[in-house]
Amino acid sequence: MPTSTVNWLWIGNLPAIDSTASSNVTQSQLNAAGMNGYSVTGPGHIAPVAVTGTTTSSGGAQVFTAPFNQTNNFLSQFSFDSPTTPGTISGQTIQTTFRGDITITLPDGSTSGQVATIVQMTNGDLFLRPNANYLPDWDGINALRSITINQATPFPNNTVLNAVISFDPDIFDIEIPCFTAGTLIRTRDGLRAIESLAVGDLVETADHGAQALRWIGTRSLSSAELAASAHLRPVRIAAGALGPGQPEREMHVSPQHRMLVRSRIAQRMFETEEVLVAACHLIGLPGITRDDSLRPVTYVHLMFDRHEILFADGAPSESLYPGPMAMRALGNEAAQEILALFPELAILDSGWLRPARVLVPGRRGRQMAERHLRNHTALLAA
């Protein structure tokens, strides 16, 4: 039996919007369930999930079907790892599908209006599937502040779902931005190896002077893990690759760790001279490469009372920014520890969700890097 695995966004678990399997949801049911204006935000409420479903052929395409629109007397069965339940959930069918006119809000507060398909499974899990016409707008997005369904509209009963429309696998590239063991951090008492730091130590920041460390986390990866997962391998930044003397020596960071860029190109593109760009989007510039040596690596995360710019191996970079995707990638134990320290993280307008600089999304980050390369311009202007 053919199957298709698609990447959708989990946006919550709700009681059945429509309990009638023989027909799709009605507008009055969507209204009663509060789908117009339904919004999810904060850690643990938005998560990428790989959903596998059985498919049938319709009109030359592979499709997913529901009880109310069975094609060829076929009913799709689904399995996935739900963020709310340990292990794999199987034997699910589609309970409801409807169109959502949505707004997504990024960590820097910028928004994008889009159209999506919303799917509810029989266990109540609610998924957002992208509209094919809007997929380019998701390029490079790996953190979200919120998703809001502005208008919910039912599909006709005979509407089936194309089984290949999916978020790009890059939606899962949400590994925690972090430094590697051995990185030298500028503190009030001078340079310190990052692994020697402790909670309470004072670290020099670009905006707020010496700030006390509030939380430190680590994650070690073996050679085997790095061999199996290329997207987890660190990015190598040679001495001087960002600008004269920056960094002061070769440094390594996780792929999603953001480095500060300060240039006229940034000013022209983003109307601000300083922005933060993930290291993986700078690969290809002179001196910036992926480290494929497969040497074991320990990633270290540093958190403060706010998102900060600190100095690592002499180069300005970010502290941990705990957006929803990053919090999920940390794992439940670490996320709960952080939420206990900072309960305001769950609040949309929390200062925690205000980044220290504009966070440049993937496609725009790569475009900016290419412009620096073409114009022979340093990422960090003097």
Side-chain angles (χ1 to χ4, degrees), residues 70-94:
Q70 294 184 45
T71 301
N72 306 324
N73 293 317
F74 179 86
L75 177 62
S76 292
Q77 301 280 328
F78 296 87
S79 62
F80 50 87
D81 292 335
S82 172
T84 58
T85 305
T88 299
I89 296 174
S90 58
Q92 295 295 301
T93 61
I94 293 175

Side-chain angles (χ1 to χ4, degrees), residues 7-10 46-50 81 83 171-172 174 325 328:
N7 304 319
W8 293 348
L9 285 179
W10 178 86
I46 305 170
V49 173
D81 292 335
I171 199 75
F172 289 94
I174 55 175
M325 299 298 195
R328 181 172 183 263

Side-chain angles (χ1 to χ4, degrees), residues 149-297:
I149 302 174
N150 303 307
Q151 183 174 350
T153 308
F155 288 129
N157 280 343
N158 62 354
T159 302
V160 293
L161 299 182
N162 187 300
V164 299
I165 296 178
S166 168
F167 287 107
D168 190 276
D170 284 350
I171 199 75
F172 289 94
D173 288 347
I174 55 175
E175 295 305 313
I176 302 302
C178 44
F179 301 100
T180 58
T183 301
L184 295 179
I185 302 296
R186 187 185 302 173
T187 74
R188 190 179 65 174
D189 300 321
L191 297 179
R192 295 266 305 276
I194 193 169
E195 62 270 26
S196 74
L197 296 175
V199 170
D201 285 345
L202 295 176
V203 173
E204 293 292 344
T205 69
D207 302 321
H208 303 104
Q211 291 293 306
L213 266 172
R214 295 295 305 278
W215 183 82
I216 301 172
T218 62
R219 179 185 181 186
S220 295
L221 296 173
S222 67
S223 296
E225 289 173 306
L226 294 172
S229 302
H231 70 283
L232 299 180
R233 298 172 194 170
V235 174
R236 180 193 294 116
I237 303 176
L242 302 176
Q246 297 191 72
E248 295 170 346
R249 62 177 196 152
E250 181 176 287
M251 68 183 301
H252 296 76
V253 296
S254 67
Q256 296 298 332
H257 192 93
R258 300 180 187 95
M259 306 301 296
L260 186 79
V261 173
R262 180 195 310 116
S263 70
R264 291 181 180 178
I265 291 174
Q267 177 69 50
R268 288 194 292 269
M269 291 184 68
F270 305 105
E271 299 183 349
T272 181
E273 188 180 37
E274 294 187 347
V275 297
L276 287 165
V277 183
C280 62
H281 301 314
L282 303 177
I283 290 175
L285 293 178
I288 303 179
T289 60
R290 189 176 70 182
D291 183 356
D292 290 324
S293 67
L294 304 185
R295 287 190 296 268
V297 64

